[in-house]
Amino acid sequence: MNVLVWLGVILLVLMIWVGGKSGARSFISLFFNFGVVFFTMFFMLDPNANPILITFIACIVIGCVSLFYINEVNSKTVMAFISTMITISILLFFIVLISKKLMIQGFGEEEEEAIAGMSLYIGVDFIKIGASVIIMSTIGAIMDVAISIATTMHEVFKHAPSLSKKELFKSGVSIGRDILGTDTNTLFFAFFGGYLALLIWFKDLHYSIGDIVNSKIFSSEMILILCAGLGIALVIPIASWINAYYLVRAREKLNKV
């Protein structure tokens, strides 16, 4: 416990040193978002609840905390929030459809020993729960790209206010291309870092490549990475267009005045 406390203190000091008040709010937001995730899990235990709707509401709250609480309410955070919610809405429909087709819900045979003494008849829809997990895992990466594009495009427009909507959109997409590769690789290596022990276990059990690929645990995590990658790729043009539209519209209104 002492190690966790000291690591938390070191993280807080570094975040305040680098980010000042924004860094302190970022640290506090970690606990707020943890609380949102905890209460989301609590409400999902209700058999009459809709996990998809609960997850979408949770994403809205997480978006407000991560964007508005940390960076305050301004045009950049509002545009990033709108872009994130539009992307999540599109991705949510796609993920539910994919989850039903691939049947990756539930537990894999590798987890049978851990759940041997537990009842699986808990009255919840594992398909929707699985889709909710994927959505909750992707929102962070999507928000990161959305705010990065919004901030950069506002800076570009600040120094070149005569740019047209098309030119601003191209600038946003160009920025997004550089972010796309790094964020996708981050998700990929986060999976292998978190499941390295599982991959070693696969090796000890002499799993073939086909067995590994068809394993429910491996497949569900790969679907998570691919869906997160789709979300990152999708939010780039959405955020670019929304920011370009807003900036040009704001300039036109200012010129009329």
Side-chain angles (χ1 to χ4, degrees):
M1 183 64 183
N2 289 335
V3 176
L4 295 176
V5 172
W6 277 110
L7 287 174
V9 171
I10 293 171
L11 176 61
L12 175 60
V13 171
L14 288 175
M15 292 180 76
I16 294 175
W17 179 52
V18 175
K21 292 182 179 179
S22 180
R25 288 196 294 266
S26 298
F27 183 82
I28 296 172
S29 71
L30 294 175
F31 297 94
F32 286 156
N33 286 332
F34 175 79
V36 173
V37 174
F38 177 80
F39 282 107
T40 299
M41 294 170 57
F42 178 79
F43 286 117
M44 283 185 181
L45 294 176
D46 184 358
N48 298 318
N50 186 340
I52 302 298
L53 178 61
I54 293 173
T55 302
F56 187 75
I57 295 172
C59 288
I60 294 175
V61 178
I62 291 172
C64 290
V65 172
S66 301
L67 294 172
F68 299 140
Y69 175 71
I70 296 174
N71 301 302
E72 301 180 349
V73 179
N74 52 58
S75 59
K76 292 179 287 188
T77 54
V78 170
M79 295 302 105
F81 179 79
I82 294 173
S83 304
T84 300
M85 290 301 108
I86 292 175
T87 304
I88 288 293
S89 301
I90 298 172
L91 200 61
L92 192 60
F93 173 78
F94 177 77
I95 288 175
V96 172
L97 182 64
I98 290 296
S99 299
K100 289 181 179 179
K101 293 292 182 181
L102 296 181
M103 295 184 292
I104 59 173
Q105 71 278 1
F107 302 93
E109 59 183 13
E110 294 81 10
E111 300 168 299
E112 288 179 355
E113 184 177 350
I115 61 173
M118 301 179 183
S119 174
L120 300 181
Y121 298 99
I122 58 177
V124 297
D125 191 334
F126 277 102
I127 295 178
K128 292 181 179 179
I129 293 292
S132 299
V133 170
I134 295 175
I135 283 294
M136 293 293 287
S137 302
T138 60
I139 185 171
I142 293 172
M143 280 193 301
D144 179 45
V145 175
I147 190 63
S148 297
I149 291 177
T151 301
T152 309
M153 288 185 67
H154 276 66
E155 284 298 314
V156 170
F157 186 77
K158 180 180 178 181
H159 295 286
S162 60
L163 290 175
S164 65
K165 187 187 300 182
K166 185 177 181 180
E167 290 171 330
L168 282 170
F169 175 78
K170 287 183 177 180
S171 297
V173 172
S174 179
I175 296 162
R177 288 197 189 103
D178 296 330
I179 301 173
L180 179 62
T182 54
D183 275 28
T184 305
N185 277 288
T186 299
L187 294 169
F188 180 76
F189 287 112
F191 161 73
F192 277 99
Y195 281 83
L196 184 59
L198 177 65
L199 296 174
I200 294 173
W201 189 26
F202 284 157
K203 180 66 172 61
D204 290 339
L205 293 175
H206 305 289
Y207 273 35
S208 66
I209 296 297
D211 292 332
I212 294 175
V213 172
N214 288 285
S215 169
K216 183 173 287 189
I217 297 177
F218 184 85
S219 298
S220 61
E221 289 301 318
M222 288 306 297
I223 292 299
L224 190 153
I225 293 172
L226 293 173
C227 288
L230 286 173
I232 294 171
L234 190 61
V235 75
I236 291 172
I238 291 175
S240 300
W241 186 87
I242 289 176
N243 281 279
Y245 176 83
Y246 168 79
L247 291 170
V248 172
R249 188 71 180 269
R251 181 183 63 192
E252 292 174 350
K253 286 184 177 179
L254 186 63
N255 290 336
K256 288 180 180 178
V257 175

